[in-house]
Every structure is written in structure tokens, then in C-alpha cells.
């Protein structure tokens, strides 16, 4: 069993930290909004800290799951950051979806401090976090991966080492591009189904086990046809992720025309005040 800290108790981090505690790892949490940390302590009987530095003291592994590149920097660096409280030989695992550039930057900062670092973005959404069946894509030293793997398995169904630092984040970019493409195709397909008078539920039951089947079809097609979009992963966050994908693609001279199209549709939905809706709301933009 490990002594761990978990920084960031959003819709993903809250249940992930809970699984760590339930699996016997001594868990200390930190969240910018203290009320969320207090609630977590009451539910899981762990401990809370008033700063990231305090949470990181005596931790073998510090997990981070916050919003974006700058949010990660804010909890790692500075007098109250986790690096200020960590001992040499301990490890930071960043579950935040960020740029690969940040992963390289943090690798270097951690190396200078004698701390191991691994970028480890996750896929599976709020439901995956709550059910302990996330997919984790890891970049870093193989030895670091092997040392943290038993702890990562507390809330994961699939944990894969992808290679050097940054490769976990690049794999997550591929994941987000695939999701964007599936949602674009599913949106157009559902519009045809609706126009033709097909029953969306019957369509899903017929197609989900065939070549067209996907997680998005099985879990979102019916709700998309019913105009229900109150789920966990918001358009605001997807646009952040797609911007990372496009920036990375630009390094290789890639256009990613589908990603740009989907991103533009999401931008229009944001302008109409729909940024907190689930990404499956793409169908609203496709309808025009």
C-alpha cells in the first residue's frame, strides 16, 4: 500500500481519489474549493490538506487531475506547490489532459528536483471514473510506470505505457480526435434516421453490435435524438483538447480538416451559451 496525494477533486478526480482510499492507499486530497475536499473526507474517511505542498508531504505518489496546462503548473510550482513538499525519489502522475510540451517541461522540472514524473491522461469520462474502469495512457520512464501501475489499477480497466514523456498525452490526442470523428458521423447519421422516420432506439439496438458500433452510439445516440445533453464531458473542455490536437498536428504539417470542422461547430455552440453541454450536443450544431 502507498501513501498518496490527490490534487483536484472534479468530476473525475473525486471518485478516482475515492478508489485509492478504498483500495487501502493512505490518501490525502487537496482541492481549490475546500468544501469539495471536506465532502470527500466525510465520504471516504481520508484526509485533506490546505495546500498542494501540504498534501504532497510524505506522499510516495502525487496524482494531479485539474483543468489545463496552467492549472497543472499552479499546483506543481511555487512555495505551496507539490514539488516544494516532495522528497527525492517520489513520483508525480499527471492525469490532466495537457499538451505534450507541458509533459516535457514537467519532466525537466521534476528531474531537477529529484522527482519522477509521468504524464497519464485518462479516457472514460465521469462514468468511467465513478465505476473505476478508466483507460490510462502513460508517458515516461518504463521503471516509473511499473512502480505506479499497481496503484493506477485502483480505478482503471486498462493502463498502458506508451513510451517516453509526452507520449501519453499524444495518445490522448488521438483518442479525442477519434471521439470527434465518431460524434460527427453519428450526428449526421441520426439526422438521416430522424428525417426518414426511423426509431433511434431500434437503430441503436440493430447496429451497436456490428461494424458501426461504438461507445458513443451505445451510450449517446438515443439521448442525442432526444435532445438530452446533460452529461459529464463539456464542450468547453473538448475545445481545449481539440486545440491541443491541432497545435500538435501543426508540428508535423498535418491539417486535420475534420477536427477543424468539429471544432468550428463547437465554437458556434459556445457562442450560443451551450459550452457546458456534453460533447454529444454536436448534433445541434450539425443541424444548423
Amino acid at each position: 500500500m502507498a501513501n498518496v496525494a490527490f490534487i483536484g477533486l472534479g468530476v473525475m478526480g473525486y471518485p478516482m481519489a475515492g478508489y485509492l482510499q478504498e483500495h487501502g492507499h493512505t490518501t490525502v486530497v487537496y482541492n481549490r474549493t475546500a468544501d469539495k475536499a471536506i465532502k470527500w473526507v466525510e465520504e471516504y474517511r481520508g484526509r485533506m490538506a490546505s495546500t498542494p505542498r501540504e498534501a504532497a508531504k510524505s506522499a510516495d505518489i502525487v496524482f494531479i487531475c485539474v483543468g489545463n496546462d496552467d492549472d497543472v503548473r499552479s499546483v506543481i510550482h511555487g512555495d505551496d506547490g507539490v514539488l516544494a513538499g516532495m522528497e527525492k525519489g517520489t513520483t508525480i502522475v499527471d492525469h490532466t489532459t495537457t499538451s505534450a510540451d507541458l509533459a516535457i517541461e514537467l519532466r525537466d522540472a521534476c528531474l531537477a528536483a529529484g522527482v519522477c514524473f509521468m504524464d497519464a491522461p485518462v479516457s472514460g469520462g465521469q462514468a468511467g471514473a465513478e465505476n473505476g474502469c478508466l483507460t490510462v495512457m502513460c508517458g515516461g520512464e518504463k521503471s516509473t510506470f511499473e512502480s505506479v501501475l499497481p496503484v493506477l489499477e485502483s480505478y482503471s480497466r486498462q493502463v498502458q505505457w506508451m513510451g517516453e514523456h509526452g507520449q501519453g498525452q499524444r495518445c490522448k490526442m488521438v483518442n479525442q480526435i477519434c471521439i470527434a470523428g465518431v460524434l460527427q458521423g453519428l450526428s449526421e447519421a441520426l439526422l438521416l434516421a430522424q428525417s426518414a422516420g426511423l426509431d433511434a432506439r431500434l437503430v441503436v439496438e440493430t447496429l451497436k453490435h456490428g461494424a458501426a458500433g461504438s461507445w458513443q452510439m451505445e451510450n449517446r445516440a438515443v439521448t442525442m435524438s432526444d435532445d438530452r445533453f446533460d452529461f459529464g464531458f463539456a464542450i468547453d473542455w473538448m475545445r481545449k483538447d481539440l486545440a491541443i490536437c491541432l497545435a500538435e498536428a501543426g508540428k508535423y504539417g498535418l491539417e486535420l480538416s475534420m477536427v477543424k470542422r468539429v471544432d468550428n461547430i463547437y465554437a458556434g455552440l459556445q457562442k450560443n451559451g451551450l459550452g457546458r453541454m456534453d460533447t454529444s450536443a454536436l448534433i445541434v450544431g450539425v443541424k444548423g
Side-chain angles (χ1 to χ4, degrees):
M1 296 298 101
N3 294 321
V4 303
F6 205 102
I7 312 299
L9 299 177
V11 295
M12 303 290 288
Y14 190 100
M16 292 165 73
Y19 273 106
L20 289 170
Q21 179 72 4
E22 289 179 340
H23 279 75
H25 304 293
T26 302
T27 308
V28 181
V29 300
Y30 167 81
N31 195 65
R32 284 184 297 185
T33 305
D35 288 349
K36 182 70 72 70
I38 292 169
K39 179 183 177 184
W40 185 91
V41 169
E42 291 174 348
E43 182 173 352
Y44 292 106
R45 305 304 177 195
R47 294 190 297 117
M48 63 177 285
S50 58
T51 66
R53 176 178 181 170
E54 180 186 338
K57 287 183 177 179
S58 302
D60 304 309
I61 309 169
V62 176
F63 296 93
I64 298 172
C65 190
V66 290
N68 56 38
D69 287 33
D70 286 339
D71 291 332
V72 177
R73 291 186 181 101
S74 73
V75 299
I76 286 185
H77 299 302
D79 292 341
D80 288 329
V82 297
L83 274 181
M86 297 181 72
E87 299 177 1
K88 294 183 183 299
T90 54
T91 301
I92 293 176
V93 175
D94 184 20
H95 286 310
T96 313
T97 298
T98 73
S99 66
D101 290 341
L102 180 68
I104 304 305
E105 173 189 319
L106 296 180
R107 174 203 66 189
D108 293 343
C110 289
L111 182 63
V115 172
C116 300
F117 175 77
M118 192 170 70
D119 53 289
V122 300
S123 180
Q126 183 176 350
E130 292 174 348
N131 294 319
C133 58
L134 292 169
T135 295
V136 188
M137 298 150 269
C138 302
E141 298 292 337
K142 185 69 175 292
S143 58
T144 302
F145 170 78
E146 291 172 345
S147 69
V148 302
L149 177 58
V151 186
L152 290 173
E153 289 175 335
S154 299
Y155 44 74
S156 307
R157 176 177 56 190
Q158 169 76 8
V159 185
Q160 182 64 50
W161 180 66
M162 302 305 302
E164 64 186 8
H165 292 93
Q167 293 296 70
Q169 294 296 350
R170 294 184 182 101
C171 185
K172 180 61 183 288
M173 295 174 205
V174 174
N175 183 80
Q176 300 306 78
I177 292 170
C178 291
I179 291 173
V182 170
L183 284 173
Q184 174 73 4
L186 191 55
S187 295
E188 295 183 5
L190 286 172
L191 290 180
L192 175 60
Q194 290 171 342
S195 298
L198 286 166
D199 183 319
R201 289 169 178 77
L202 186 58
V203 169
V204 171
E205 287 302 314
T206 303
L207 301 182
K208 68 181 183 181
H209 298 298
S214 68
W215 186 97
Q216 297 292 342
M217 173 180 284
E218 190 162 356
N219 292 276
R220 293 291 182 263
V222 172
T223 54
M224 289 167 72
S225 67
D226 291 341
D227 291 327
R228 291 190 284 122
F229 310 110
D230 54 340
F231 303 101
F233 193 64
I235 289 169
D236 290 340
W237 291 117
M238 186 59 154
R239 286 213 70 209
K240 182 266 290 187
D241 292 355
L242 294 182
I244 292 171
C245 295
L246 291 169
E248 185 73 17
K251 298 176 183 178
Y252 314 116
L254 301 175
E255 284 297 320
L256 303 188
S257 57
M258 180 277 296
V259 175
K260 290 181 178 179
R261 173 174 169 75
V262 171
D263 185 56
N264 286 335
I265 295 172
Y266 281 142
L269 294 175
Q270 278 184 319
K271 289 179 181 178
N272 290 327
L274 305 181
R276 298 309 300 169
M277 283 192 171
D278 181 76
T279 50
S280 60
L282 184 70
I283 191 172
V284 177
V286 173
K287 286 179 182 178

